[in-house]
Amino acid sequence: MRIQDLRQRLQTLGANPRHTQRVLRLWAQALPQDGGRRELTSFLPATLVAALPALSEELAGIATLVSEHPGEDGSARLLLALADGQTVESVLLPRDGLCVSTQVGCAVGCVFCMTGQGGLVRQVGSAEIVAQVALARSRRPVKKVVFMGMGEPAHNLDNVLEAIDLLGTIGNIGHKNLVFSTVGDPRVFEALPRGRVKPALALSLHTSKAALREQLLPRAPRLTPEEIVEAGERYARASAYPIQYQWTLLQGINDGDDEIEGIVRLLHGKYAILNMIPYNTVDELPYQRPSWEQAAAIARRLHQRGILTKLRQSAGQDVEGGCGQLRARADNPRARRVVPIRADAATSISAASADATLS
Ligand code: SF4
């Protein structure tokens, strides 16, 4: 379901644009639709007032909570059901953050990501994205939303931009507290500067080598790391906000001296932060997580070379890894071990948690 479907529905109930904004604002902020009875009847048409109870139920039904899985770090993974029975995950992050899903599944097919192995099931509508925020806000405050759950936001651009526009205006979330995360797509670099809400941008780099990147992210747009950083730098300067480059650290694959040199070559002097997240090992995939000490040493070396590097830990690691696991378990309740996530969602999730920062 899309926000524009909601707008049309409200229009048929007699709402003018101001009435519609009120209903959508209260919904996105998880405030009651029927607060202040006298004001309500004097402001909204009678047809809409009469429909409000049913409408509130409809809005609450766009995404409903299936289960909640608290982590030891203050995060909590939420498994949500959409109206057609598909499920997605959101993660409540420490310090009032929320990670939302933008697709059921993902078509990019990153080799280290279980979500990517299953392909795309369907897009998540813009109303379903905002509904994740509304549901989270009914449980705790949300002041930051990162689009780093299941899915590649660039592959669902219209819905994601529609949700960002609402959240960054009547949704009452600061523009730079909305974080669009992508593997890097020309359509994103064209679209983001044109929006009235210009979110922060996170770009999944993972390696400084074009050939390795093609192997690791087989169906990502064929942009070289240089082209990605060049486009990222343009957006950083235009939006006056640094790019967050995401780097899922895979032992023996992208943790060598050559990559350190590559990162320095790419990012030195750039308006950028490098978020380095040690990979979460899963049985089904052959990739290994480097030790925290190894990862810390790499981050320290980068820091010494002038690269602002933050070493991140995934939020809710004790809840069996990351996004995708809960959904996999719900789809296959007999699964003994739950399937993990897109590795960069762990990245992203941790981006808001800032558990370990080298400075
Ligand atoms: S890591 Fe992200 S972009 Fe890659 S397949 Fe997984 S969900 Fe998709």
Side-chain angles (χ1 to χ4, degrees):
M1 178 179 279
R2 301 188 58 163
I3 293 164
Q4 65 190 41
D5 300 327
L6 293 177
R7 288 188 194 280
Q8 268 163 16
R9 168 114 173 76
L10 286 162
Q11 206 180 345
T12 61
L13 290 169
N16 68 22
R18 286 176 61 221
H19 304 144
T20 298
Q21 287 301 82
R22 177 194 163 108
V23 171
L24 295 180
R25 174 173 59 80
L26 293 172
W27 168 55
Q29 297 191 31
L31 297 170
Q33 293 288 345
D34 57 357
R37 196 77 213 165
R38 269 178 55 202
E39 189 205 337
L40 195 70
T41 46
S42 60
F43 180 66
L44 297 180
T47 45
L48 184 52
V49 173
L52 275 184
L55 194 64
S56 298
E57 257 183 58
E58 260 178 60
L59 292 171
I62 296 173
T64 53
L65 185 66
V66 176
S67 55
E68 177 169 357
H69 307 258
E72 286 173 1
D73 57 1
S75 67
R77 294 184 181 280
L78 307 180
L79 182 65
L80 309 180
L82 305 176
D84 64 353
Q86 289 293 345
T87 51
V88 292
E89 293 181 29
S90 301
V91 186
L92 299 168
L93 302 167
R95 291 176 288 285
D96 300 338
L98 176 72
C99 176
V100 295
S101 292
T102 57
Q103 296 184 303
V104 181
C106 182
V108 178
C110 300
V111 296
F112 47 77
C113 167
M114 285 304 297
T115 297
Q117 311 310 301
L120 178 66
V121 178
R122 80 158 168 87
Q123 305 289 12
V124 174
S126 52
E128 293 169 325
I129 296 171
V130 176
Q132 295 175 59
V133 179
L135 190 144
R137 279 177 156 168
S138 70
R139 312 181 74 74
R140 59 163 90 161
V142 172
K143 295 182 182 146
K144 175 169 186 162
V145 177
V146 299
F147 294 78
M148 298 179 174
M150 298 166 62
E152 163 56 53
H155 287 182
N156 189 15
L157 198 52
D158 289 348
N159 279 301
V160 173
L161 293 181
E162 200 175 21
I164 283 176
D165 185 78
L166 188 148
L167 292 169
T169 53
I170 56 176
N172 198 29
I173 296 191
H175 296 191
K176 300 312 174 217
N177 279 341
L178 294 160
V179 184
F180 189 111
S181 171
T182 173
V183 294
D185 190 306
R187 290 168 295 185
V188 172
F189 297 125
E190 279 169 29
L192 288 193
R194 291 202 301 260
R196 66 173 166 170
V197 176
K198 292 183 180 53
L201 180 61
L203 294 172
S204 298
L205 204 53
H206 303 315
T207 174
S208 62
K209 305 173 197 167
L212 178 58
R213 198 165 190 277
E214 285 181 20
Q215 288 173 29
L216 294 176
L217 288 65
R219 288 187 290 283
R222 286 283 175 263
L223 295 176
T224 63
E226 286 77 9
E227 288 167 333
I228 291 169
V229 171
E230 207 176 293
E233 185 68 5
R234 270 199 302 276
Y235 185 67
R237 299 290 165 192
S239 62
Y241 205 71
I243 302 298
Q244 299 170 40
Y245 289 96
Q246 311 291 83
W247 192 287
T248 298
L249 207 52
L250 304 159
Q251 189 173 45
I253 293 188
N254 63 357
D255 60 350
D257 289 351
D258 52 347
E259 291 283 24
I260 291 178
E261 294 307 318
I263 291 168
V264 172
R265 177 175 47 80
L266 284 171
L267 297 187
H268 193 267
K270 296 295 189 294
Y271 195 16
I273 296 166
L274 180 67
N275 288 323
M276 197 160 254
I277 304 94
Y279 176 68
N280 280 335
T281 304
V282 292
D283 288 349
E284 293 83 352
L285 297 174
Y287 304 97
Q288 296 301 314
R289 173 188 174 91
S291 71
W292 188 258
E293 292 68 32
Q294 282 173 298
I298 293 170
R300 202 172 299 113
R301 284 176 64 189
L302 285 167
H303 237 277
Q304 286 162 353
R305 302 282 302 275
I307 306 297
L308 179 54
T309 306
K310 295 187 175 184
L311 183 58
R312 309 285 197 180
Q313 186 69 276
S314 297
Q317 266 205 330
D318 49 316
V319 195
E320 300 189 70
C323 296
Q325 291 195 336
L326 300 178
R327 180 170 186 273
R329 181 162 44 192
D331 286 352
N332 179 11
R334 286 182 304 171
R336 200 170 46 80
R337 179 175 169 80
V338 185
V339 181
I341 150 185
R342 54 178 281 176
D344 71 340
T347 306
S348 40
I349 288 163
S350 55
S353 68
D355 296 314
T357 303
L358 295 181
S359 54

